[in-house]
Amino acid sequence: LVYTMPIFVTVISHFKLNEKINVYKMLGLFSGLIGLLFILGGGILHVDQNVILGELCVLIAALSWGIANVYSKLKFKHTDMIHMNAWQLLTGAVMLLIFSFILEPSRPIHWSNEAILSLLFNGLFSTALTFVVWFWILNQIEASKASMALMFVPVLGLLFGWLQLHEPVTFSILIGAFMICIGIFMNTYQFKKV
């Protein structure tokens, strides 16, 4: 559900960044959304009252992520990406640390080499470096096109889940992945005007 963010970015960018929604973008967004629904499967139709609040929070997170991307493109075009990301990550780390002391049960931490390497890899490579690259890309191309490329994340998650964790890939998932790829193509390819 969080990867509905490109839909929010495309709509907000239409009004705030003058990135007009054309027929191809609309078809691409629709195809990507249908693909996500195929991947989520029939479970999305069986509404569990206990899950609704969580799903609404995820959709609000997707909307917030979309607003943040458009805001970053508007306000931080000439800002040093490394400094901006350093402050964002530092602020987020401090807030998470505070909340972890409040909300998480206190258990002793075992600092093994694997734990330290995992923390460094996730903090420096998977988060810091990729966010610097993301904001650089966001400043280079249309926000709607950049965000639509993130629809590859669920597809790659399915692929690596299948390869590494031996998770099943159903026909519905294959259709969903195909629809997402079509959506990305429709949103990013420069079609000639007729």
Side-chain angles (χ1 to χ4, degrees):
L1 286 178
V2 80
Y3 285 95
T4 56
M5 180 274 294
I7 296 168
F8 295 120
V9 168
T10 302
V11 171
I12 297 167
S13 296
H14 175 80
F15 296 104
K16 292 292 182 184
L17 298 175
N18 202 27
E19 296 178 8
K20 297 301 177 199
I21 297 176
N22 57 30
V23 173
Y24 301 111
K25 279 187 182 180
M26 189 62 69
L27 288 172
L29 286 174
F30 185 69
S31 179
L33 179 62
I34 296 297
L36 275 177
L37 293 176
F38 266 97
I39 287 173
L40 290 171
I44 199 166
L45 298 175
H46 306 298
V47 180
D48 183 352
Q49 298 299 325
N50 298 324
V51 180
I52 290 178
L53 178 61
E55 290 175 345
L56 285 174
C57 288
V58 171
L59 286 172
I60 291 169
L63 174 62
S64 300
W65 186 14
I67 291 169
N69 284 329
V70 173
Y71 184 80
S72 294
K73 188 162 177 80
L74 276 171
K75 300 294 182 184
F76 301 122
K77 188 162 187 77
H78 303 292
T79 303
D80 181 4
M81 294 298 147
I82 294 174
H83 285 106
M84 182 181 81
N85 280 296
W87 281 110
Q88 285 181 347
L89 294 174
L90 182 64
T91 304
V94 168
M95 289 177 66
L96 286 173
L97 185 63
I98 292 168
F99 280 113
S100 72
F101 282 125
I102 296 169
L103 301 173
E104 295 288 325
S106 59
R107 284 185 278 210
I109 299 172
H110 302 289
W111 290 104
S112 64
N113 288 339
E114 291 83 5
I116 293 169
L117 288 174
S118 177
L119 188 63
L120 288 173
F121 177 81
N122 284 308
L124 296 176
F125 179 74
S126 297
T127 304
L129 176 66
T130 54
F131 271 110
V132 168
V133 171
W134 167 249
F135 284 115
W136 179 80
I137 290 170
L138 195 59
N139 282 328
Q140 303 302 312
I141 64 175
E142 290 182 6
S144 55
K145 289 184 180 182
S147 65
M148 193 63 187
L150 290 176
M151 293 285 272
F152 272 126
V153 172
V155 175
L156 292 174
L158 292 168
L159 173 67
F160 288 115
W162 173 70
L163 285 173
Q164 296 174 325
L165 304 174
H166 309 291
E167 294 176 346
V169 176
T170 64
F171 186 66
S172 174
I173 288 174
L174 289 174
I175 290 173
F178 181 71
M179 295 292 289
I180 287 173
C181 292
I182 288 174
I184 293 169
F185 174 78
M186 294 294 289
N187 201 294
T188 56
Y189 185 75
Q190 291 290 354
F191 289 95
K192 291 180 183 175
K193 293 181 180 176
V194 231

